[in-house]
Amino acid sequence: MFKLGHSKHAAPESHGKNLKPHKETVVVAGLPVNVFSDRGATKPETPVAVMFLLHGRTGSAKRMETYVNDVFEEIRARRSAHKGAQDLIIVTIDQRNHGARMVDERANMGWFPEPEKNNERHAIDMYAIQTGTAQDVSFLIDFLPSYLFPNGERTISQWLCAGKSLGGHSTWIVLKNDPRVKIGIPIIGCPDYLTLISKRAKAHKLPVGPPYLPDSLIELIRRADPAAAPYTATDESNPFLGKKILVLSGQDDKIAPFSSSKEVVEKLNVGKHGLKEVIVEPGVGHDLSPAMLKEAARFIWEQALVA
């Protein structure tokens, strides 16, 4: 049983700066799920917001722990002045074919001139991984409440998803596909995979077609990608209506340039009950900068924990 919440034995300094959150690993149908919380932050009756934080290509859940710690530190600083805030759990997993789930290292590589590094199936592999990760998130939303609180000890009030790079792409797919995720923070990610990967193929002087982008893959992207959704619509056909989205990008990003996302992001309609914030940070490339992390923590605080 996952233990979260107020403890009469919590040390007074548990809310100080630079302290790591409590970590517990829960195995859900064979998938190790890392669950982070700030024990003693709230009373047991306080609702809990759960956020998935997804790593980038060639990364791992382990490598996201520094960001997890930094988010909790930012939230902790705000919580001291606001006693009515909701609790926060951050969840990390290894994306498919990453970390402890690694099967084929080459499948995580891109297009390279060196034969020993080159992955001809880069476009296929990357889309399969991010789509599979989005499915993992929805699967865990189904089952985590039972694993974490089998006796109904706490109420999960809302689900959030944030991700870096490949995890940012996955976050866009989660926002499109899962109506339970109302808040998303795609960081150096892209909602328009066909535009992104087409530009990348052209930069490598590869055809935007078979065998690098098979017709079947292009058909799937055009049917299932966030950019394929009616994201400008004002009715319920638009899966983004009512959602709160913070888009974080680097102005100098050459790997997932904001230009690949710009049309979708600018035209994206979240409706009167939604919120869209876009920050393109000058002087930053394909990286989750300290300023981006602070903005992400601020958005989590304002839109989930005290909203």
Side-chain angles (χ1 to χ4, degrees):
M1 182 189 304
F2 180 75
K3 296 180 180 179
L4 166 71
H6 181 74
S7 171
K8 63 182 179 181
H9 302 296
E13 66 271 22
S14 63
H15 301 297
K17 295 183 69 175
N18 301 317
L19 289 173
K20 291 183 179 180
H22 172 74
K23 176 185 176 182
E24 189 167 330
T25 299
V26 181
V27 179
V28 180
L31 177 62
V33 180
N34 305 304
V35 183
F36 298 85
S37 64
D38 198 2
R39 279 191 170 176
T42 64
K43 296 180 179 180
E45 61 269 21
T46 306
V48 180
V50 179
M51 183 180 80
F52 294 88
L53 183 59
L54 308 174
H55 64 77
R57 183 161 59 97
T58 74
S60 66
K62 179 66 177 176
R63 287 167 59 181
M64 293 304 286
E65 290 194 16
T66 297
Y67 299 119
V68 171
N69 296 341
D70 290 345
V71 168
F72 272 107
E73 186 174 324
E74 290 286 331
I75 297 299
R76 195 178 294 126
R78 289 169 169 82
R79 192 180 295 282
S80 62
H82 199 300
K83 302 303 182 184
Q86 292 192 23
D87 221 324
L88 176 67
I89 286 176
I90 296 179
V91 172
T92 66
I93 59 172
D94 285 322
Q95 295 205 54
R96 299 188 183 198
N97 201 50
H98 285 76
R101 303 172 77 184
M102 175 72 74
V103 177
D104 179 6
E105 189 172 0
R106 186 183 290 267
N108 295 337
M109 298 295 104
W111 290 312
F112 289 98
E114 301 89 349
E116 67 276 10
K117 296 172 61 178
N118 185 49
N119 175 22
E120 290 191 354
R121 294 190 306 228
H122 169 52
I124 309 168
D125 286 331
M126 191 164 74
Y127 199 64
I129 292 169
Q130 66 195 52
T131 301
T133 297
Q135 292 173 353
D136 286 343
V137 169
S138 292
F139 161 75
L140 289 173
I141 291 175
D142 285 338
F143 285 98
L144 270 179
S146 297
Y147 278 86
L148 298 183
F149 308 119
N151 296 305
E153 297 89 345
R154 300 294 295 264
T155 300
I156 297 177
S157 59
Q158 54 193 316
W159 299 94
L160 300 77
C161 190
K164 170 189 176 184
S165 191
L166 178 67
H169 307 334
S170 300
T171 297
W172 276 114
I173 297 172
V174 170
L175 284 166
K176 170 188 172 287
N177 288 347
D178 201 315
R180 297 170 294 183
V181 179
K182 302 294 187 183
I183 299 175
I185 308 174
I187 305 165
I188 55 175
C190 182
D192 188 344
Y193 188 74
L194 193 56
T195 294
L196 174 69
I197 205 67
S198 296
K199 288 183 177 180
R200 192 173 295 179
K202 291 174 182 176
H204 286 83
K205 297 181 172 54
L206 299 174
V208 183
Y212 300 97
L213 275 83
D215 292 340
S216 55
L217 177 66
I218 292 175
E219 189 279 329
L220 172 64
I221 295 167
R222 287 176 171 164
R223 172 171 49 83
D225 206 49
Y231 59 85
T232 64
T234 58
D235 59 25
E236 60 184 14
S237 67
N238 180 353
F240 299 101
L241 280 185
K243 300 206 171 183
K244 299 178 180 181
I245 304 172
L246 171 63
V247 178
L248 296 171
S249 293
Q251 192 174 69
D252 298 337
D253 191 342
K254 301 296 189 295
I255 296 175
F258 183 68
S259 60
S260 297
S261 303
K262 186 175 181 180
E263 181 175 357
V264 172
V265 170
E266 289 187 347
K267 294 180 179 180
L268 181 69
N269 178 21
V270 295
K272 64 180 180 179
H273 298 298
L275 175 67
K276 177 177 65 176
E277 290 189 23
V278 183
I279 299 174
V280 182
E281 188 178 350
V284 174
H286 193 67
D287 190 26
L288 199 176
S289 70
M292 288 180 183
L293 190 135
K294 286 183 178 292
E295 289 292 348
R298 185 266 309 167
F299 196 79
I300 296 163
W301 176 256
E302 293 179 353
Q303 304 305 325
L305 303 187
V306 297

